[in-house]
C-alpha cells in the first residue's frame, strides 16, 4: 500500500522502528517494572547498584521503575490533545475553505489573532484561571494547535475547491456534505498527513513543558518531564535520574518528527512549515 | 496584463508617505490584537470563582480579613469595571500591586517586582537572538546550496533532531554534558538582584546555548526550504542561461528573493525564542520574567500573571510588525502596491 | 561565411540511458530563421536548451557536437561554455513573467547582462540601443520599473532586449509568444522579423504552432519522438509535406480563413523509453511497410533539398482538407433550446471593487446547434459559460432553457435542469478527482442526475467509454495514469453520462496538442451527429471555432462586438476588433494549391 511507502526510506524505517520501541516501552513499561514507582526503596540519589540499574531519585524511589511508568502520561495526553486539535481545526478549516466569503476571512482573522499569542503563556493563563488539571492541559494544548490545523486545512481546501472536478460536482447540484466528503476530503488528506508529525511533536513538547514547570501533572506522578524537574538539584549525585527521562523524551520526539517528515516527503511535500 | 491595465498602473497617483501609513496601520492593528488578547488574559485568569484573596491569605483567613483584603485588592467590584481599571492602569504604566506583596502585608507595585527580571530576560533573549539570526541565515543558505551533499545532510539531520526536542530537554542534556561530565559550567544561573547578568558571563553560557539550540534548528530548516525553492525558480534558470557567474546567480537571483520568506521565518523563530525563555529560566533558576511568571502562576498572583502575559504578548506582536515592515521593504511587488 | 549554428548528431539521455533526443542535426545560416516544430514529447525544448550547452536536471548530452559561429558548446569545460552563453548564443524564454528577477528593476536586469559579459573581445550594446530595438522606451522612468509593473508583451520584449545585448550570432526562442494574446503575439513576431532584417540575426524558433512558423521561419524542422522527421523550406514543407506525420499535422491545424474539418491521427506519441525499435511513427502511420518496424529510417534528401525520415515518403499523398461537416441543428424550430437574455456578471474580489465581466449578453442556441463565444482573456466568455452552467450568479438578465428561466446557481435548479446542461473544463489535469477511478467518476452523474442503479450505471459507463473511443480497461484506472487527451475524453464521457441536451465546452482543447485537439473536436462532431446534443463552445482560437461552430459571438471586455453565422463573421467582419483579431492571427499558407475537395 502506498501509505507505507515512507517506511521504505532509510530515515522513515529507522524513525518508525524507534517510534515503535519507545511507544512499546511507554505503554508496556508498567507491566515489566520491577518495583512500584511511588515507594521509596533506597537511599535518595544513589547511583546504579545491583537491583537498581538506574539508581534512586531524590525521594529514594527506583528510577528505572518510575521511568517505565512515566511515558504513558505524555503519550496519552499529547495524543488526546492532537486528536482534539484535528477535530476542531479540520472542521473549521474545511468550512472556511469551502465558503470563500466573509466567514472565511473572519475565521482566518480569528486564527491569526490566536496565533499571535505565545502558546506556553496561553497555557499558563488557563492554568491560573482554571487550576492545574489534566483536562485543562489537554484542552489547552488542543486550543493552541487547532488554529494551525485550521489554517493548513483551509489552505488545502481552498486549493482543491477551485479544481474542475469539485466544480463539476457543484454544477451537478450535489449537497455540501457530499462534496466535502467525496471530493474535498480525500484530496485534502495528503496535506493533513504531511503535517501530522509536526503537530504530534509539538503537542508532546507543550505537554512535557507544562508538566516540567510543575503546572500540569502533579507529584507523585512519574511523568518523565516532572521527573526532570523534581530532580534538578540532585544532578551531581545521580545524573541518571535526569539523563534517563531526558533521553527518552528526546528519542520519542525525534522518532515522531522523523516519521512525520518521512511521511511528508513520501507524499511529495515538505514537512517544514511555510512562513 | 493588457496594455491598458499597465498604463493604468503607472498613472495612478502615488499616495503620500505610503510606508508611514503602512507602519501606522500595522501598529494600530497590533494594538487591536493586543486589546483582544488582554480580554482573553483577563477572563482566562479570573474565570474561577476561587479568588485571589483566598489564595493569598490561606485557608485560615477569617471572613473579615478576606473582605478587607478584597477591598484593598479591588476584588469587590464588578468584572467589567475591574477590567477597565486594569486596562487604564496598563496604559498609564501602573500595573497594580502584587498578591505576594499583600501576603507580606504591604502594597508592592508589580512594576518594581518585574523591572529587574525583565532586564535579565531581555539580556538573555538579545544574546540568543544576536547569535540566532546570522547563524540561521548562513547555515540555512549553505545547506540549500549544497543540497543533497554531505554538508546538507549533516545540517539537516542535526536540525531535524534538535527541533524535535523540548527546550528543557536540550537544557538538561547540555547540563549533563557541560556540568556532570565536563564540569565547565554550573547548572544554576543565579544573578543577585541589582547586578547585571553580564557581570558573570559564564553563567549565561548554558541558558543562551539552550535558547539558541531550540530556535536555531527550526530557523535553519525553514531558511533552507525557502532557499531551495528560490534556487529552483525560472529566473534563476534564465540567469544561468544568460551565462552569469554562479555566485551572482546564487546571491542576486536566488538569495535576494529568498530573503523575504527568510525574514518571516526568523521572526517566527524569534517568537519561539521569546516563549522558550520561560522554561529555560525555570530550568536554570535564572531570575527573569519567565521564572517570575511561573512562580506567580503557582501562587495564583493574578495581577502579576496578567501583567507579564501582556508584556510578552506585546513583544510577540512587535516582532511581527517589524518583520512585516522588513518584508514589505524587500519585496518590490508589495512596496509598489502600498 | 561560417554557419550560425551547426548541430550534429545530438544525443541527450536521461540518467538511466534512455534517449530523449537522438540523431538531431541542424544547420542555420547567418540571418536565417529556422522553425523547430513539435508537439509535447517531441524533444524540441531539450534541443533548444542543448543549443546553449545546457541540460535540465537528470539529463545530459551524451553525443554529438554543438557549434555556434565556430564555438563549441558541448565540451566538458563548464566555465568556457558558461562564458559563451549569452554572448555567442542567447535564449528567449516561454514565460517572461517568471523569467525576470522580480526583485530587480528593468535597468538592473539589463545591466547584469552587460556587466557579466563585459570584456575586451565582446561588443556590448547599451540599454538604450537594445530597448530601442524592441520598441521600448529607455528613459529613466521605464528603467526603474519592476517586472510586475509591465504588461506581458512588454516583459517579453525586455527578455528579447536582454538576449540582444551581446549581439549574438544566434538567438534561441522557446515558444516566446505562447502566453500572449493574439494581438500582442503579432506585434512580437513583427519585432522579430524587423530584428532579423536590421541585424541579420539568426534564430531558432521553437514552437508547436505551425501557423506561427509559417509566418516567420525560412526553414522548418519537424520533430517527432526525439528525432527530426522532416526539414525544408517552410512554404514547401507546409504546402506539400513528405512525411506522413507532417501531413497529419497540417491536416489537423485549424485555419480561420479557410475552415476545414480537423482530421486527427490515430494513436499517441510515444514517450522516451516507449519508442519502438523501428520508426517511432509506424504504429500510427497509414503508409507503413514491413521495413518500418525493423529499423529507423535514415534522413533522405529529395531533389529539392528536402530532408525526410521515411521509407515511403514518395507515396505520401497531397494534403486533403475536408469541408466543415454540415450543421445538424434544427434552426427552423420556433423555440430555441437555450436563450440568454441581457446577461450581466461581475467578479467580486475580497478587498477591491467589483469588476464587470460581462454586460448585455443576449444570444440563442438551437437544439443540436453549436454557438461559439470567442475572445481574448478578460473578454468575459468563461464567465458567461459558468453562468449558463450554474457556477456563477449573474447580476442581471436571465438564462432560459426551453422557455423556462433557470435559477442563477445550480443548487437552485431542478434535477432535470441540471441534467440537461453539462460543463467540460479547460484543464484536463484538474477536471477529474485524482483519488477516484475513471468508472466511478463517469458513473456519478448517471447515478445522481438520472437515478440509475449501480448495475445500470456500470453498463452506461461501458457504453460511454466506447463512445469516446477509450479502451474498456480505462475504467479501472486512476486519472494520473492517463494522458491529457484521454482525460479530456473522460471528462466528455462524464458529461454525457447525464444525457444532456447542452454541452458547455470551456476552452476544452486549449491545453492540448494540436493533433490531440483535432481528435477531441472530431469526437465532438460525432456526438452532435449521433446524439443531437447542442454545444456552447468557448475559445480564443478563431481557427478552432471556424471548424466547429455555426454561429459566432465575438466578445471584447465583456461586450458582444460582433455576432453572426461563422462564415460571415470570418470573411466579412464588421467590427474593428474582429478585424484586428483576424488580421493578427497567424495562418498557414494559402491552401489553393492544397486541393480542398468540394
Amino acid at each position: 500500500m502506498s501509505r507505507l511507502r515512507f517506511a521504505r526510506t532509510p530515515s522513515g524505517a529507522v524513525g518508525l522502528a524507534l517510534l515503535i520501541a519507545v511507544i512499546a516501552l511507554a505503554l508496556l513499561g508498567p507491566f515489566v517494572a520491577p518495583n512500584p514507582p511511588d515507594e521509596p526503596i533506597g537511599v535518595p540519589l544513589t547511583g546504579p547498584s545491583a537491583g537498581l540499574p538506574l539508581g534512586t531519585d531524590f525521594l529514594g524511589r527506583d528510577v528505572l521503575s518510575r521511568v517505565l511508568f512515566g511515558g504513558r502520561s505524555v503519550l496519552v495526553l499529547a495524543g488526546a490533545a492532537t486528536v482534539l486539535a484535528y477535530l476542531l481545526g479540520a472542521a473549521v478549516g474545511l468550512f472556511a475553505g469551502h465558503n470563500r466569503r466573509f466567514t472565511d476571512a473572519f475565521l482566518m482573522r480569528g486564527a491569526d489573532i490566536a496565533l499571535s499569542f505565545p502558546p506556553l503563556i496561553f497555557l499558563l493563563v488557563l492554568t491560573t484561571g482554571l487550576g492545574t488539571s489534566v483536562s485543562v492541559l489537554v484542552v489547552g494544548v488542543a486550543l493552541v494547535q487547532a488554529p494551525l490545523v485550521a489554517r493548513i486545512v483551509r489552505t488545502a481546501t481552498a486549493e482543491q475547491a477551485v479544481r474542475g472536478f469539485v466544480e463539476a460536482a457543484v454544477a451537478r447540484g450535489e449537497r455540501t456534505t457530499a462534496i466535502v466528503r467525496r471530493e474535498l476530503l480525500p484530496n485534502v488528506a495528503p496535506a493533513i498527513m504531511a503535517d501530522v508529525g509536526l503537530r504530534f511533536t509539538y503537542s508532546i513538547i507543550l505537554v512535557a513543558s507544562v508538566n516540567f514547570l510543575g503546572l500540569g501533572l502533579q507529584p507523585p506522578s512519574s511523568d518523565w518531564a516532572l521527573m526532570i524537574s523534581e530532580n534538578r538539584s540532585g544532578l551531581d549525585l545521580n545524573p541518571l535520574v535526569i539523563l534517563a527521562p531526558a533521553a527518552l523524551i528526546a528519542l520519542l520526539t525525534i522518532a515522531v518528527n522523523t516519521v512525520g517528515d518521512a511521511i511528508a516527503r513520501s507524499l511529495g511535500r515538505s514537512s517544514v512549515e511555510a512562513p | 496584463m493588457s496594455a491598458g491595465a499597465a498604463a493604468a498602473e503607472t498613472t495612478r497617483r502615488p499616495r503620500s508617505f505610503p510606508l508611514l501609513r503602512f507602519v501606522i496601520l500595522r501598529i494600530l492593528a497590533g494594538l487591536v490584537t493586543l486589546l483582544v488578547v488582554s480580554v482573553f488574559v483577563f477572563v482566562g485568569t479570573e474565570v474561577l470563582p476561587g479568588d485571589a484573596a483566598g489564595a493569598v491569605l490561606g485557608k485560615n483567613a477569617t471572613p473579615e480579613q478576606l473582605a478587607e483584603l478584597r477591598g484593598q485588592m479591588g476584588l469587590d467590584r464588578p468584572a467589567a469595571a475591574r477590567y477597565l481599571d486594569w486596562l487604564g492602569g496598563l496604559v498609564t504604566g501602573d500595573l497594580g500591586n502584587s498578591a505576594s506583596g499583600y501576603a507580606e502585608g504591604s502594597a508592592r507595585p508589580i512594576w518594581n517586582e518585574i523591572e529587574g527580571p525583565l532586564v535579565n530576560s531581555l539580556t538573555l533573549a538579545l544574546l540568543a537572538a544576536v547569535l540566532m539570526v546570522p547563524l540561521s541565515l548562513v547555515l540555512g543558505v549553505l545547506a540549500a546550496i549544497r543540497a543533497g551533499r554531505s554538508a546538507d545532510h549533516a545540517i539537516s539531520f542535526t536540525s531535524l533532531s534538535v527541533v524535535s526536542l523540548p527546550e528543557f530537554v536540550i537544557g538538561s542534556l547540555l547540563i549533563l554534558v557541560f556540568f556532570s561530565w565536563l564540569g565547565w559550567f554550573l547548572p544554576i544561573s543565579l544573578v543577585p538582584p541589582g547586578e547585571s547578568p553580564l557581570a558573570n558571563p559564564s553563567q549565561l553560557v548554558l541558558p543562551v546555548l539552550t535558547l539558541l539550540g531550540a530556535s536555531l534548528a527550526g530557523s535553519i530548516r525553514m531558511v533552507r526550504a525557502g532557499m531551495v525553492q528560490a534556487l529552483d525558480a525560472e529566473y534563476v534558470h534564465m540567469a544561468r542561461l544568460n551565462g552569469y557567474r554562479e555566485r551572482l546567480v546564487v546571491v542576486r537571483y536566488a538569495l535576494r528573493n529568498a530573503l523575504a520568506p527568510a525574514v518571516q521565518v526568523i521572526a517566527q523563530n524569534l517568537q519561539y525564542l521569546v516563549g522558550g525563555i520561560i522554561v529555560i529560566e525555570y530550568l536554570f533558576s535564572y531570575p527573569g520574567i519567565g521564572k517570575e511568571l511561573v512562580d506567580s502562576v503557582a501562587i495564583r498572583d493574578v495581577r502579576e500573571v496578567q501583567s507579564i502575559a501582556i508584556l510578552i504578548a506585546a513583544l510577540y506582536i512587535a516582532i511581527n510588525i517589524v518583520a512585516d515592515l522588513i518584508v514589505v521593504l524587500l519585496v518590490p511587488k508589495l512596496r509598489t502596491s502600498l | 561565411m561560417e554557419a550560425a549554428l551547426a548541430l550534429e548528431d545530438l544525443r541527450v539521455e536521461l540518467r538511466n540511458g534512455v534517449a530523449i533526443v537522438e540523431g538531431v542535426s541542424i544547420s542555420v545560416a547567418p540571418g536565417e530563421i529556422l522553425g523547430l516544430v513539435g508537439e509535447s514529447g517531441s524533444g524540441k525544448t531539450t534541443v533548444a536548451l542543448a543549443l546553449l550547452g545546457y541540460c535540465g536536471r537528470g539529463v545530459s548530452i551524451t553525443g554529438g557536437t554543438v557549434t555556434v559561429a565556430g564555438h563549441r558548446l558541448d565540451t566538458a569545460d563548464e566555465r568556457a561554455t558558461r562564458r559563451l552563453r549569452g554572448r555567442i548564443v542567447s535564449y528567449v524564454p516561454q514565460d517572461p513573467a517568471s523569467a525576470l528577477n522580480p526583485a530587480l528593476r528593468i535597468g538592473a536586469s539589463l545591466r547584469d547582462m552587460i556587466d557579466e559579459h563585459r570584456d575586451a573581445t565582446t561588443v556590448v550594446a547599451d540599454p538604450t540601443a537594445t530597448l530601442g530595438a524592441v520598441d521600448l522606451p529607455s528613459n529613466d522612468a521605464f528603467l526603474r520599473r519592476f517586472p510586475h509593473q509591465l504588461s506581458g508583451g512588454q516583459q517579453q520584449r525586455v527578455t528579447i532586449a536582454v538576449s540582444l545585448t551581446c549581439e549574438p550570432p544566434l538567438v534561441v526562442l522557446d515558444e516566446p509568444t505562447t502566453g500572449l494574446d493574439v494581438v500582442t503575439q503579432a506585434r512580437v513576431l513583427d519585432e522579430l522579423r524587423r530584428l532579423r532584417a536590421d541585424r541579420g540575426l539568426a534564430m531558432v524558433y521553437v514552437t508547436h504552432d505551425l501557423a506561427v512558423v509559417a509566418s516567420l521561419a525560412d526553414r522548418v524542422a519537424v520533430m517527432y519522438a526525439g528525432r527530426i522527421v522532416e526539414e525544408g523550406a517552410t512554404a514547401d514543407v507546409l504546402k506539400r509535406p513528405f512525411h506522413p506525420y507532417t501531413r497529419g499535422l497540417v491536416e489537423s491545424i485549424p485555419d480561420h480563413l479557410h475552415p476545414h474539418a480537423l482530421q486527427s491521427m490515430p494513436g499517441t506519441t510515444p514517450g522516451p523509453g516507449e519508442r519502438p525499435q523501428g520508426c517511432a511513427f509506424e504504429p500510427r502511420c497509414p503508409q507503413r511497410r514491413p521495413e518500418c518496424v525493423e529499423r529507423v529510417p535514415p534522413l533522405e534528401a529529395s531533389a529539392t533539398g528536402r530532408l525526410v525520415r521515411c521509407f515511403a515518403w514518395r507515396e505520401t499523398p497531397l494534403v486533403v482538407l475536408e469541408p466543415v461537416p454540415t450543421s445538424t441543428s434544427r434552426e427552423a424550430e420556433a423555440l430555441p433550446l437555450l436563450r440568454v437574455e441581457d446577461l450581466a456578471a461581475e467578479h467580486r474580489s475580497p478587498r477591491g471593487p467589483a469588476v464587470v465581466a460581462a454586460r448585455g449578453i443576449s444570444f440563442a442556441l438551437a437544439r443540436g446547434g453549436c454557438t461559439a463565444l470567442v475572445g481574448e482573456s478578460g473578454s468575459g466568455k468563461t464567465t458567461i459559460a459558468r453562468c449558463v452552467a450554474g457556477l456563477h450568479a449573474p447580476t442581471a438578465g436571465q438564462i432560459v432553457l426551453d422557455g423556462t428561466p433557470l435559477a442563477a446557481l445550480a443548487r437552485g435548479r431542478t434535477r432535470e435542469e441540471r441534467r440537461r446542461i453539462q460543463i467540460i473544463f479547460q484543464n484536463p489535469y484538474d477536471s477529474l478527482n485524482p483519488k477516484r477511478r475513471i468508472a466511478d467518476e463517469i458513473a456519478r452523474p448517471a447515478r445522481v442526475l438520472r437515478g440509475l442503479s449501480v448495475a445500470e450505471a456500470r453498463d452506461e459507463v461501458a457504453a460511454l467509454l466506447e463512445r469516446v473511443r477509450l479502451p474498456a480497461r480505462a475504467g479501472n484506472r486512476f486519472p494520473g495514469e492517463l494522458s491529457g487527451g484521454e482525460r479530456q475524453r473522460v471528462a466528455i464521457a462524464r458529461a454525457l453520462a447525464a444525457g444532456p441536451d447542452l454541452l458547455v465546452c470551456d476552452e476544452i482543447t486549449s491545453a492540448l496538442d494540436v493533433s490531440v485537439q483535432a481528435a477531441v473536436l472530431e469526437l465532438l462532431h460525432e456526438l452532435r451527429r449521433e446524439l443531437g446534443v447542442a454545444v456552447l463552445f468557448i475559445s480564443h482560437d478563431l481557427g478552432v471555432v471556424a471548424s466547429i461552430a455555426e454561429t459566432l459571438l465575438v466578445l471584447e471586455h465583456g461586450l458582444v462586438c460582433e455576432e453572426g453565422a461563422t462564415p460571415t463573421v470570418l470573411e466579412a467582419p464588421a467590427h474593428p476588433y474582429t478585424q484586428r483579431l483576424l488580421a493578427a492571427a497567424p495562418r498557414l499558407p494559402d491552401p489553393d494549391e492544397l486541393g480542398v475537395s468540394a
Side-chain angles (χ1 to χ4, degrees):
Chain A
M1 217 161 72
S2 65
R3 299 244 180 85
L4 290 179
R5 206 173 7 176
F6 76 92
R8 286 196 223 124
T9 65
S11 58
V14 166
L16 190 58
L18 191 57
L19 185 60
I20 294 178
V22 175
I23 292 184
L25 191 154
L27 293 178
L28 301 175
F31 299 111
V32 300
N35 296 307
D38 299 341
E39 270 177 34
I41 203 167
V43 177
L45 293 175
T46 48
S49 63
L52 304 167
L54 293 178
T56 57
D57 73 345
F58 78 113
L59 285 182
R61 301 174 290 196
D62 174 23
V63 173
L64 177 62
S65 303
R66 284 185 68 75
V67 155
L68 287 171
F69 268 88
R72 263 188 193 176
S73 46
V74 72
L75 266 182
V76 168
L77 293 177
T82 312
V83 167
L84 192 54
Y86 269 105
L87 288 176
L88 286 171
V92 169
L94 277 170
F95 186 66
H98 189 54
N99 281 328
R100 276 167 294 124
R101 275 174 306 185
F102 185 64
T103 36
D104 174 26
F106 178 70
L107 285 170
M108 284 306 112
R109 192 59 53 227
D112 282 342
I113 291 188
L115 286 170
S116 64
F117 194 58
L120 201 52
I121 307 227
F122 174 84
L123 291 170
L124 293 182
V125 163
L126 276 186
T127 312
T128 314
L130 295 168
T132 61
S133 83
V134 159
S135 36
V136 169
L137 186 52
V138 169
V139 171
V141 172
L143 286 176
V144 166
Q145 302 262 52
L148 285 163
V149 173
R151 248 230 304 248
I152 290 180
V153 170
R154 175 248 175 218
T155 307
T157 307
E159 262 170 22
Q160 297 297 319
V162 292
R163 296 182 74 186
F165 61 90
V166 176
E167 299 214 288
V170 172
R172 283 197 292 269
E174 302 210 28
R175 282 192 324 263
T176 310
T177 44
I179 294 181
V180 167
R181 190 174 39 89
R182 289 178 51 95
E183 316 288 347
L184 290 174
L185 210 40
N187 288 293
V188 167
I192 295 181
M193 293 305 305
D195 186 58
V196 147
L198 276 175
R199 287 306 120 238
F200 191 36
T201 308
Y202 199 42
S203 296
I204 297 175
I205 293 179
L206 282 172
V207 166
S209 298
V210 173
N211 284 342
F212 173 78
L213 293 175
L215 298 172
L217 289 171
Q218 296 295 305
S221 165
S222 54
D223 176 74
W224 289 337
L226 195 51
M227 271 180 76
I228 299 179
S229 171
E230 296 177 318
N231 290 288
R232 262 150 61 228
S233 41
L235 193 51
D236 39 356
L237 292 172
N238 183 11
L240 285 172
V241 73
I242 305 277
L243 180 58
L248 282 168
I249 297 180
L251 287 174
L252 174 62
T253 52
I254 291 179
V256 169
N257 211 11
T258 307
V259 167
D261 190 62
I263 293 179
R265 264 176 303 125
S266 79
L267 288 168
R269 289 153 187 267
S270 168
S271 75
V272 179
E273 302 167 43
Chain B
M1 227 195 315
S2 71
E9 182 82 64
T10 49
T11 54
R12 188 182 66 180
R13 257 186 61 239
R15 291 141 122 197
S16 46
F17 306 116
L19 211 55
L20 195 58
R21 291 166 68 104
F22 174 76
V23 170
I24 292 180
L25 279 173
R26 285 296 283 112
I27 293 181
L28 282 177
L31 286 173
V32 168
T33 309
L34 207 52
L35 196 66
V36 172
V37 164
S38 74
V39 170
F40 161 72
V41 167
F42 186 82
V43 168
T45 48
E46 309 211 5
V47 126
L48 261 194
D51 72 336
V56 167
L57 293 177
K59 297 193 176 78
N60 299 319
T62 66
E64 296 83 34
Q65 288 173 311
L66 282 174
E68 196 196 326
L69 188 54
R70 276 203 205 104
Q72 266 191 316
M73 292 174 77
L75 291 176
D76 47 353
R77 309 179 58 220
R82 292 206 315 264
Y83 171 68
L84 289 172
D85 267 354
W86 175 55
L87 213 51
L90 276 179
V91 170
T92 57
D94 170 20
L95 297 172
N97 302 326
S98 78
S100 52
Y102 286 119
E104 291 169 16
S106 63
R108 271 212 314 248
I110 291 183
W111 179 246
N112 296 7
E113 298 266 301
I114 64 178
E115 197 176 348
L118 186 58
V119 169
N120 292 345
S121 291
L122 282 177
T123 314
L124 196 56
L126 267 161
L127 280 173
V130 151
L131 287 171
M132 195 268 265
V133 172
L135 273 177
S136 46
L137 274 175
V138 166
L139 290 175
V141 168
L142 182 64
I145 298 179
R146 303 244 185 280
R149 288 189 274 177
S150 44
D152 175 36
H153 280 310
I155 295 178
S156 296
F157 177 72
T158 316
S159 50
L160 177 62
S161 310
V162 172
V163 86
S164 330
L165 304 176
E167 298 95 332
F168 67 90
V169 168
I170 298 178
S172 307
L173 292 173
L174 281 176
I175 291 179
L176 284 167
V177 167
F178 286 102
F179 170 67
S180 305
W181 181 32
L182 293 173
W184 287 355
F185 301 109
L186 291 173
I188 308 271
S189 308
L190 284 175
V191 176
E195 203 180 286
S196 160
L198 296 173
N200 195 354
S202 66
Q203 68 184 354
L204 289 177
V205 172
L206 285 184
V208 169
L209 267 183
T210 312
L211 254 186
L212 194 58
S215 53
L216 187 60
S219 199
I220 289 178
R221 273 170 68 73
M222 294 193 232
V223 168
R224 176 193 179 281
M227 187 65 185
V228 163
Q229 217 175 33
L231 280 169
D232 214 23
E234 273 309 307
Y235 47 84
V236 169
H237 289 308
M238 191 65 223
R240 294 205 178 103
L241 285 169
N242 279 336
Y244 298 168
R245 282 167 296 150
E246 190 64 14
R247 234 193 88 214
L248 185 84
V249 172
V250 165
V251 171
R252 206 155 138 86
Y253 283 76
L255 184 54
R256 177 70 181 75
N257 287 291
L259 274 182
V263 162
Q264 286 170 317
V265 150
I266 290 179
Q268 211 175 323
N269 282 281
L270 277 176
Q271 289 174 329
Y272 190 62
L273 193 155
V274 164
I277 265 196
I278 299 171
V279 170
I280 286 166
E281 286 180 2
Y282 186 78
L283 173 63
F284 290 98
S285 294
Y286 183 85
I289 47 170
K291 180 158 178 303
E292 192 71 26
L293 177 61
V294 175
D295 292 341
S296 306
V297 173
I299 62 171
R300 290 203 69 221
D301 185 345
V302 171
R303 272 283 166 276
E304 203 160 322
V305 168
Q306 291 169 342
S307 309
I308 299 180
I310 284 290
L311 267 175
I312 298 189
L315 187 55
Y316 234 60
I317 293 175
I319 293 177
N320 258 339
I321 295 180
V322 170
D324 281 351
L325 179 62
I326 298 180
V327 165
V328 161
L329 287 174
L330 281 177
V331 179
K333 198 161 178 185
L334 293 178
R335 215 154 77 221
T336 56
S337 66
L338 272 184
Chain C
M1 209 156 135
E2 75 185 345
L5 169 68
L7 180 70
E8 301 227 6
D9 214 24
L10 180 73
R11 183 182 169 92
V12 179
E13 279 179 7
L14 290 172
R15 214 167 272 160
N16 55 11
V18 168
I20 301 181
V21 157
E22 50 189 321
V24 173
S25 303
I26 294 176
S27 69
V28 180
E32 188 179 30
I33 301 184
L34 174 80
L36 188 61
V37 169
E39 299 184 294
S40 33
S42 58
K44 58 190 193 300
T45 301
T46 310
V47 171
L49 291 174
L51 296 181
L52 284 98
Y54 191 85
C55 280
R57 216 175 299 165
V59 157
S60 51
I61 300 179
T62 53
T65 61
V66 182
T67 314
V68 177
H71 300 263
R72 288 278 297 271
L73 280 127
D74 57 291
T75 60
D77 186 353
E78 178 60 25
R79 285 194 73 190
T81 309
R82 185 181 52 72
R83 271 197 234 109
L84 292 172
R85 286 188 202 128
R87 193 165 69 86
I88 298 298
V89 52
S90 63
Y91 186 85
V92 174
Q94 175 169 355
D95 183 11
S98 58
L100 290 168
N101 188 338
L104 292 182
R105 299 179 200 265
I106 301 299
S109 282
L110 286 166
R111 244 171 292 122
D112 271 351
M113 190 66 165
I114 295 174
D115 292 338
E116 285 296 295
H117 290 287
R118 188 196 299 279
D119 69 44
T121 58
T122 309
V123 173
V124 186
D126 68 86
T128 319
T130 45
L131 285 172
V134 293
D135 202 25
L136 282 175
S138 51
N139 53 40
D140 238 18
F142 186 78
L143 289 178
R144 283 183 58 79
R145 287 214 215 151
F146 288 99
H148 71 272
Q149 295 173 298
L150 301 183
S151 71
Q154 288 174 319
Q155 288 166 344
Q156 191 58 293
R157 280 185 277 160
V158 168
T159 60
I160 296 176
V162 169
S163 75
L164 295 175
T165 305
C166 301
E167 304 197 354
L170 179 69
V171 178
V172 177
L173 302 103
D174 191 357
E175 309 231 37
T177 57
T178 304
L180 304 172
D181 66 84
V182 155
V183 175
T184 313
Q185 172 178 269
R187 287 183 66 185
V188 171
L189 291 176
D190 276 341
E191 213 65 66
L192 292 172
R193 272 186 282 263
R194 207 169 41 75
L195 283 169
R196 187 262 292 265
D198 291 347
R199 295 163 169 241
L201 214 48
M203 292 187 226
V204 172
Y205 194 103
V206 178
T207 181
H208 63 278
D209 192 337
L210 270 182
V212 166
V213 159
S215 67
L216 183 69
D218 306 310
R219 283 179 31 246
V220 64
V222 179
M223 283 193 71
Y224 183 80
R227 289 200 173 84
I228 295 193
V229 295
E230 184 155 6
E231 187 187 326
T234 310
D236 291 344
V237 171
L238 295 179
K239 287 188 196 174
R240 182 72 177 86
F242 286 161
H243 195 283
Y245 173 66
T246 318
R247 178 172 175 272
L249 215 50
V250 170
E251 284 181 345
S252 59
I253 291 179
D255 186 345
H256 58 274
L257 281 190
H258 302 275
H260 60 95
L262 306 176
Q263 286 132 275
S264 69
M265 297 174 267
T268 52
T269 311
E274 295 167 5
R275 295 171 189 160
Q277 197 186 353
C279 174
F281 188 66
E282 182 272 335
R284 312 170 68 182
C285 185
Q287 294 157 225
R288 57 176 176 271
R289 298 174 177 175
E291 52 187 328
C292 299
V293 185
E294 292 160 22
R295 50 200 177 90
V296 175
L299 270 178
E300 264 183 65
S302 80
T304 50
R306 193 91 65 91
L307 290 172
V308 197
R309 191 186 290 279
C310 180
F311 292 122
W313 67 269
R314 288 178 184 78
E315 289 131 40
T316 307
L318 288 173
V319 169
V320 173
L321 299 176
E322 307 285 337
V324 179
T326 49
S327 87
T328 54
S329 71
R330 290 118 76 177
E331 296 273 5
E333 280 195 358
L335 189 65
L337 174 66
L338 182 79
R339 214 173 59 239
V340 172
E341 292 170 358
D342 211 24
L343 190 73
E346 285 178 346
H347 283 304
R348 178 162 283 122
S349 57
R351 45 188 70 188
V355 173
V356 172
R359 254 188 331 222
I361 310 289
S362 300
F363 63 92
L365 182 55
R367 216 166 301 275
C370 178
T371 297
L373 301 179
V374 181
E376 297 296 314
S377 57
S379 57
K381 55 193 194 299
T382 295
T383 314
I384 298 170
R386 289 166 62 86
C387 289
V388 170
L391 288 172
H392 189 108
T395 49
Q398 58 180 1
I399 302 172
V400 181
L401 182 68
D402 256 347
T404 320
L406 292 174
L409 292 176
R411 262 201 317 269
R413 300 183 182 176
T414 69
R415 197 172 85 160
E416 260 308 282
E417 289 166 349
R418 281 180 263 131
R419 182 191 67 75
R420 297 178 66 187
I421 301 182
Q422 288 291 307
I423 183 166
I424 306 167
F425 299 101
Q426 170 176 4
N427 188 348
Y429 297 96
D430 247 10
S431 49
L432 305 175
N433 188 334
K435 303 284 183 197
R436 248 212 314 278
R437 289 184 204 276
I438 301 296
D440 293 329
E441 187 79 18
I442 298 178
R444 187 86 183 141
R447 307 250 303 135
V448 167
L449 297 173
R450 282 163 63 192
L452 294 190
S453 72
V454 174
E456 290 168 333
R458 209 180 13 222
D459 296 333
E460 183 75 3
V461 167
L464 285 169
L465 281 174
E466 200 180 314
R467 190 181 279 288
V468 298
R469 308 234 211 95
L470 281 172
R473 63 179 187 280
N476 244 347
R477 297 231 171 93
F478 286 95
E481 305 170 62
L482 302 184
S483 72
E486 288 168 335
R487 288 187 218 207
Q488 217 51 326
R489 287 172 193 271
V490 170
I492 294 176
R494 181 180 63 189
L496 290 177
D501 295 321
L502 169 63
L503 284 178
V504 179
C505 299
D506 187 5
E507 303 243 35
I508 63 174
T509 57
S510 305
L512 303 174
D513 277 329
V514 157
S515 56
V516 179
Q517 165 177 270
V520 170
L521 292 174
E522 242 178 18
L523 177 60
L524 219 50
H525 269 304
E526 256 177 48
L527 292 173
R528 284 184 60 202
R529 209 169 44 231
E530 291 169 22
L531 300 175
V533 65
V535 172
L536 181 63
F537 197 88
I538 287 82
S539 177
H540 65 279
D541 190 328
L542 289 166
V544 167
V545 301
S547 71
I548 190 173
E550 294 134 10
T551 318
L552 267 191
L553 268 87
V554 180
L555 293 157
E556 186 192 14
H557 294 321
L559 294 168
V560 178
C561 51
E562 185 141 9
E563 181 184 352
T566 309
T568 319
V569 173
L570 294 178
E571 287 167 24
H575 194 280
Y577 178 70
T578 320
Q579 293 162 353
R580 257 205 324 272
L581 271 187
L582 285 167
R587 33 175 292 265
L588 290 178
D590 200 336
D592 276 343
E593 291 126 69
L594 292 178
V596 178
S597 65

